[in-house]
Amino acid sequence: MQRQLNEVVKHGLAAAHTPERADWTTDQGWDRYTAEEHAIWKTLYTRQSKLLPGRACDEFVQGMQALPLGAESIPDFRRLSDVLSKRTGWQVVAVPGLVPDEVFFDHLANRRFPAGQFIRRADQLDYLEEPDVFHDVFGHVPMLMHPVIADYIQAYGVGGLRAQRLGVLTSLARVYWYTVEFGLVEQKRGLRIYGSGIVSSYSESLFALENRSPNRIRFNLERVMRTQYRIDDFQETYFVIRNLDELLELAHVDFAPIYERVARLTELEPGDVLSDDTVLTRGDRSYHAARRS
Ligand code: HBI
Ligand code: FE
């Protein structure tokens, strides 16, 4: 999962990896994964596959089925890229872990998804700070099979480079966080997960959909840009889109005037609810209240 990612990047831990190449890519080294590492993948994969029917959105399930992904082994990025590139023009490239923002955005802008080469340890099944191969591949790659998500994440890469120059990356990163990583979508048979941070996490899949604690609020761009997010725990609020095409519209919005408006508004805490929010579920906040005391 990619909790604490911004913190880790800010504090320079990402620099602990010395890049072999300027774009920080590395060989996946698929032959070097050990039996233990494949077994960790199998545990995670099996657990998530049982949980996700009726919880993940239809597009995730379809993407998953069309990819060379299975329980038995950590997938080979070349085989994934063969299928993915034919569908949406994206490739999966290996990186050692977190990479600097501008490197990350440059990959996305060019339809390369940087995926962590390593897998979490057996004692970190539910929580880790850097995005590993399970989060990046199981969580993100099925969604990249969908043309709308494929365009949206590329637009985030382009927008990220621009937002960095404008000094407004914080607002844009919140949009990414509350959509690509932690988004929910309304589908015919109910609320479903499309966010990769949720879909790759057993406990957050249950929490985001079924727990009484979090708010579930209709997605609104400016509202989301003002809202801080939690990097070290479950989200206090999930934002809900009506369908994935809503993201396509977002990819074409001119963010510059919006950044200016948002800069004049107060920031919101992760759990805040506003009088003009469209609230689907008002959370009782019990989970985070208990954590704080
Ligand atoms: N690097 N590998 C990797 N994966 C990410 O999701 C990532 C990153 N570097 C920076 C970053 N994300 C975020 O800080 C930006 O989305 C803002
Ligand atoms: Fe991620």
Side-chain angles (χ1 to χ4, degrees):
M1 172 93 36
Q2 70 178 69
R3 302 193 189 294
Q4 300 195 343
L5 187 127
N6 296 326
E7 287 306 299
V8 173
V9 170
K10 256 186 241 134
H11 296 123
L13 291 184
H17 301 289
T18 314
E20 294 166 35
R21 308 177 189 133
D23 69 357
W24 285 66
T25 60
T26 178
D27 290 327
Q28 187 190 5
W30 191 84
D31 296 326
R32 292 194 295 276
Y33 290 122
T34 64
E36 286 79 9
E37 289 173 320
H38 288 302
I40 293 169
W41 171 276
K42 185 175 188 173
T43 302
L44 292 165
Y45 182 99
T46 306
R47 190 168 76 158
Q48 262 344 65
S49 320
K50 281 193 199 126
L51 186 70
L52 291 179
R55 292 195 175 90
C57 68
D58 298 335
E59 292 82 356
F60 179 88
V61 175
Q62 286 156 12
M64 189 85 198
Q65 284 166 350
L67 283 163
L69 281 176
E72 290 317 311
S73 56
I74 297 171
D76 183 333
F77 293 179
R78 289 166 301 195
R79 295 191 55 220
L80 289 175
S81 295
D82 284 344
V83 176
L84 182 62
S85 63
K86 285 192 192 103
R87 183 72 64 96
T88 59
W90 275 78
Q91 279 175 274
V92 181
V93 295
V95 291
L98 286 165
V99 300
D101 288 347
E102 62 277 12
V103 174
F104 184 63
F105 297 140
D106 188 65
H107 281 300
L108 301 184
N110 290 287
R111 291 196 176 233
R112 290 186 303 266
F113 194 79
Q117 179 276 343
F118 74 101
I119 192 151
R120 66 197 72 183
R121 297 191 313 257
D123 62 350
Q124 300 172 309
L125 290 189
D126 294 303
Y127 174 85
L128 85 163
E129 294 178 3
E130 275 194 86
D132 72 339
V133 62
F134 188 75
H135 168 76
D136 280 333
V137 169
F138 188 97
H140 285 284
V141 177
M143 292 309 296
L144 285 168
M145 292 283 279
H146 193 269
V148 167
I149 300 291
D151 287 356
Y152 179 65
I153 296 183
Q154 179 183 18
Y156 175 70
V158 175
L161 292 168
R162 187 157 167 247
Q164 237 180 354
R165 287 194 298 271
L166 297 172
V168 293
L169 187 53
T170 306
S171 331
L172 186 68
R174 288 173 181 164
V175 182
Y176 184 83
W177 191 265
Y178 281 119
T179 58
V180 172
E181 294 293 352
F182 293 97
L184 297 178
V185 57
E186 275 182 323
Q187 298 201 311
K188 283 195 198 72
R189 283 173 295 168
L191 215 53
R192 293 290 184 272
I193 306 161
Y194 74 94
S196 305
I198 307 176
V199 100
S200 61
S201 162
Y202 183 84
S203 48
E204 192 147 2
S205 293
L206 292 170
F207 183 83
L209 289 178
E210 286 148 53
N211 200 282
R212 279 180 302 151
S213 188
N215 304 310
R216 299 175 186 89
I217 295 176
R218 171 83 56 219
F219 180 88
N220 172 284
L221 181 59
E222 290 186 29
R223 163 68 160 91
V224 166
M225 282 189 163
R226 295 168 60 192
T227 311
Q228 297 166 3
Y229 53 79
R230 306 199 65 101
I231 53 181
D232 56 352
D233 206 339
F234 299 144
Q235 302 306 306
E236 292 185 51
T237 300
Y238 297 92
F239 290 96
V240 181
I241 58 175
R242 291 175 193 275
N243 51 58
L244 295 183
D245 288 344
E246 218 177 296
L247 299 179
L248 190 62
E249 295 160 28
L250 270 188
H252 296 124
V253 168
D254 179 9
F255 276 47
I258 305 175
Y259 290 139
E260 274 186 40
R261 270 203 303 280
V262 168
R264 279 184 244 112
L265 301 170
T266 52
E267 295 214 315
L268 302 170
E269 300 285 332
D272 286 351
V273 177
L274 305 181
S275 57
D276 59 354
D277 281 336
T278 304
V279 180
L280 306 180
T281 323
R282 176 79 191 233
D284 69 8
R285 311 191 68 179
S286 51
Y287 172 83
H288 290 95
R291 298 278 282 184
R292 274 188 276 263
S293 65

